[in-house]
Amino acid sequence: MGDALGIIGGGIVGIALARALAARGDEVTVLEKEPRLAAHQTGHNSGVVHAGLYYAPGSLKATLCAAGRVRIRDFCAEKGLPYREVGKLVVAVDDTEVAALNEIERRSLANAVPDLERIDDRSRLHEIEPHVAGVAAVHSPHTAVVDYASITEAMAQDVRVAGGHILLGHEVTAMRSETGRVRVMTARSEHVFDRVVVCAGLQSDVVARFIGADPSPKILPFRGEYWALRPERMDLVRGLIYPVPDPRFPFLGVHFTRGVYDDVHVGPNAVPALAREGYRWSQVSVGDTWESLRWPGAWPLARQHWRMGVDEVTASLLKPRYFRKARRFVPELRMSDLERTAVAGVRAQAWGRQGELLDDFAVDQVGAVTLVRNAPSPAATSSLAIADHLIEHHLAGRSSSLH
Ligand SMILES: Cc1cc2nc3c(=O)[nH]c(=O)nc-3n(C[C@H](O)[C@H](O)[C@H](O)COP(=O)(O)OP(=O)(O)OC[C@H]3O[C@@H](n4cnc5c(N)ncnc54)[C@H](O)[C@@H]3O)c2cc1C
C-alpha cells in the first residue's frame, strides 16, 4: 500500500487524479461537499473535447489538452460512452476578424491540431456548415462532444474498484499541517493524510486559505448562460460553430454546440456571477460578492472590460441582444428559434492582485498540500493528462516549496 492521499473536490480533475493514484496502489479518499459528483463546472459545461486551437504553444493548456483529448477519446471507447467527432468551425464573419483568425491558425499549427483546414471560400464553408455566414474559417474535424458528468462517474467507478473511497456530502472546512502530515476536517469527519491535493474549482482559493496559502490568485466567478435551438430548427447547425475569440478576454464567445445527445445549444455568454455557485441572477451570496468587490484586482479588470461587461449583461437580460450575437453566424436564425434553458455554468477563472488574468493551468505547493489554483477550460478535456502531470511534477516526492 502506498501513501494515504486525500483529494478535495469530486469534479473531473479530482476524480481523474483519484483514479490514477488508486491504480498505482495509493490509499485514496475523495472528499466532495455536494451529494453527487460533477455538481459544478464538470456537470455544467459545453461538453466539448477541445483539439487545442487557441492555447499559447508550449503552455500547459496546449500540451495537456493535446494529450488529454486522445486520453478522453480512448477512455470513452473503453467504457462504451458516447464520443462524437462533430468537428468545429471557427468563423471570421467579416474582414476585421481575419487577422485574429490567422493567429488562431498559427497557434493551431504550432500545437499540431490534427487535420486542421484553412477555409477561404464560401462553397467549402457551406459544405461543412450549410447555414453559416463568414469570409474565412478554420476547421478542426477531430473536435468532439461528450458528456463529462458520465465520464466522471465512470472514472469514479474505477476508483472504487481499485479500493479508493469517495465520500459525498463531506465539505472540507479546515486543514492543518501536523508533523509532515495533513489533518483535514469536515463537519462529519476528520482525516489524516500523507498528502492532500485540492481540486476545488470555484472554491479553490477559499480552500487554499485553510492551509495558509496566498489568497492570490483569486477566483472571480463568471457565469455562462445557454439558450437551446428548438428541435425543428436544429438542422441549422451540424457541428460546432465558434466565433473568433477576443484575444483580450479569456472566454471563447457565444457559440453553437451540437451536443452528444443531439441537442443544439447557443452560448455560453460571460456575466459576473453574484455567487461562486450562482447559476441564476437570483442566486446572490453577499459574502462572495463582497469578497469579489474587495479584491484589488477586480477594479482594474472592471475598468479594462466595462464596455464588454455591459454588453454581456444586457444580452443576458434581453433576448434580442443575445439573439443578435448568435445571428451573426447563422443569418437564417429567428428569435423564436431560441428557447431559454435552465442550463448555465459558472467558470472558475483565477485572477491576480492587479486584475491580471492567469491564463494557464496553475498549481501551488504548501508543504504536503498541492493546490490546483487554476483549471478553467480546457481542463475537462485535459483531465486525464492533468492527473498524470500532477503525479509526475507535484506528487512524485515530498516538497515544502511554493512554486
Ligand atoms: C460554462 C462552461 C463551459 C465550459 N466548457 C468546457 C468545454 O466545452 N470543454 C472543456 O474541456 N472545459 C469546459 N469548461 C471547463 C471545465 O468544465 C472545467 O475546467 C472543469 O470541469 C474543471 O474541473 P474541476 O474538477 O477542477 O472543477 P469542478 O468540476 O468545479 O469540481 C470542483 C469540485 O470541488 C468541490 N468542492 C469545492 N469546495 C469544496 C470543499 N470545501 N470540500 C469538498 N468539496 C469541495 C465542488 O463541489 C466541486 O464538485 C467549461 C466551464 C464552464 C463553466
Side-chain angles (χ1 to χ4, degrees):
M1 184 64 78
D3 282 355
L5 273 126
I7 295 174
I8 302 176
I12 198 166
V13 174
I15 297 296
L17 178 62
R19 178 176 174 270
L21 291 169
R24 70 171 200 179
D26 285 325
E27 189 188 323
V28 179
T29 304
V30 178
L31 301 168
E32 165 55 50
K33 73 183 171 79
E34 303 293 349
R36 63 180 200 283
L37 297 174
H40 292 295
Q41 295 175 94
T42 300
H44 292 90
N45 61 37
S46 301
V48 176
V49 182
H50 291 288
L53 277 73
Y54 307 100
Y55 317 116
S59 63
L60 285 178
K61 277 188 177 177
T63 52
L64 299 180
C65 178
R69 179 186 69 85
V70 175
R71 299 281 307 279
I72 287 282
R73 184 195 64 196
D74 294 351
F75 182 79
C76 288
E78 182 194 325
K79 302 289 177 186
L81 293 168
Y83 182 96
R84 293 178 59 194
E85 283 193 347
V86 292
K88 162 167 165 173
L89 208 53
V90 181
V91 183
V93 169
D94 57 40
D95 292 337
T96 62
E97 295 178 352
V98 171
L101 182 75
N102 293 344
E103 174 59 15
I104 300 287
E105 185 188 13
R106 188 192 68 77
R107 285 188 172 200
S108 305
L109 294 173
N111 293 340
V113 171
D115 300 324
L116 190 89
E117 183 186 359
R118 168 75 184 216
I119 298 167
D120 285 300
D121 82 281
R122 221 158 272 189
S123 59
R124 176 67 186 131
L125 196 61
H126 287 159
E127 262 171 43
I128 297 169
E129 285 288 354
H131 303 280
V132 84
V135 294
V138 292
H139 184 235
S140 157
H142 300 294
T143 298
V145 285
V146 291
D147 175 347
Y148 282 118
S150 307
I151 290 175
T152 306
E153 283 298 341
M155 289 179 184
Q157 196 47 32
D158 286 351
V159 174
R160 294 184 187 105
V161 168
H165 306 285
I166 298 179
L167 305 180
L168 302 175
H170 280 64
E171 176 168 0
V172 173
T173 50
M175 259 193 292
R176 210 172 44 229
S177 289
E178 273 181 6
T179 54
R181 304 188 87 203
V182 189
R183 183 172 294 272
V184 177
M185 275 74 81
T186 78
R188 307 161 62 169
S189 56
E190 267 192 45
H191 310 259
V192 178
F193 298 113
D194 296 309
R195 312 287 309 251
V196 168
V197 185
V198 178
C199 307
L202 289 154
Q203 311 282 346
S204 54
D205 52 343
V206 175
V207 180
R209 290 201 300 260
F210 295 163
I211 198 73
D214 192 331
S216 183
K218 176 163 173 48
I219 299 295
L220 295 177
F222 281 86
R223 184 173 59 248
E225 301 155 327
Y226 295 87
W227 291 74
L229 276 199
R230 272 181 201 291
E232 61 275 22
R233 298 287 282 166
M234 283 182 188
D235 57 358
L236 288 175
V237 176
R238 281 187 181 164
L240 308 174
I241 303 173
Y242 278 64
V244 177
D246 183 331
R248 293 163 305 166
F249 212 54
F251 311 127
L252 299 180
V254 165
H255 46 264
F256 290 81
T257 306
R258 180 167 285 274
V260 74
Y261 303 117
D262 242 357
D263 49 321
V264 178
H265 280 99
V266 187
N269 59 352
V271 294
L274 302 178
R276 281 173 192 266
E277 291 156 7
Y279 293 95
R280 292 182 293 281
W281 283 112
S282 57
Q283 283 181 310
V284 180
S285 156
V286 175
D288 287 351
T289 308
W290 177 235
E291 236 191 55
S292 294
L293 292 173
R294 275 177 42 209
W295 179 247
W299 295 100
L301 186 69
R303 265 196 302 279
Q304 203 187 341
H305 295 298
W306 71 270
R307 248 180 243 283
M308 184 177 269
V310 170
D311 186 47
E312 290 284 307
V313 170
T314 38
S316 158
L317 297 171
L318 304 171
K319 184 178 178 185
R321 296 290 292 268
Y322 203 107
F323 163 68
R324 273 209 292 277
K325 278 177 192 272
R327 196 186 47 183
R328 287 186 75 223
F329 301 93
V330 181
E332 288 167 57
L333 189 74
R334 296 188 299 248
M335 192 136 85
S336 57
D337 297 337
L338 295 181
E339 288 177 330
R340 178 66 99 174
T341 64
V343 184
V346 185
R347 305 169 178 89
Q349 171 61 54
W351 307 82
R353 277 200 181 77
Q354 264 69 54
E356 72 280 17
L357 165 78
L358 225 81
D359 191 36
D360 209 359
F361 299 146
V363 183
D364 274 354
Q365 188 77 35
V366 177
V369 180
T370 303
L371 302 145
V372 176
R373 301 293 305 247
N374 195 43
S377 184
T381 304
S382 316
S383 51
L384 290 164
I386 292 176
D388 290 348
H389 174 86
L390 288 170
I391 291 173
E392 192 183 334
H393 296 275
H394 298 272
L395 298 173
R398 285 175 169 269
S399 157
S400 55
S401 61
L402 185 76
H403 52 100

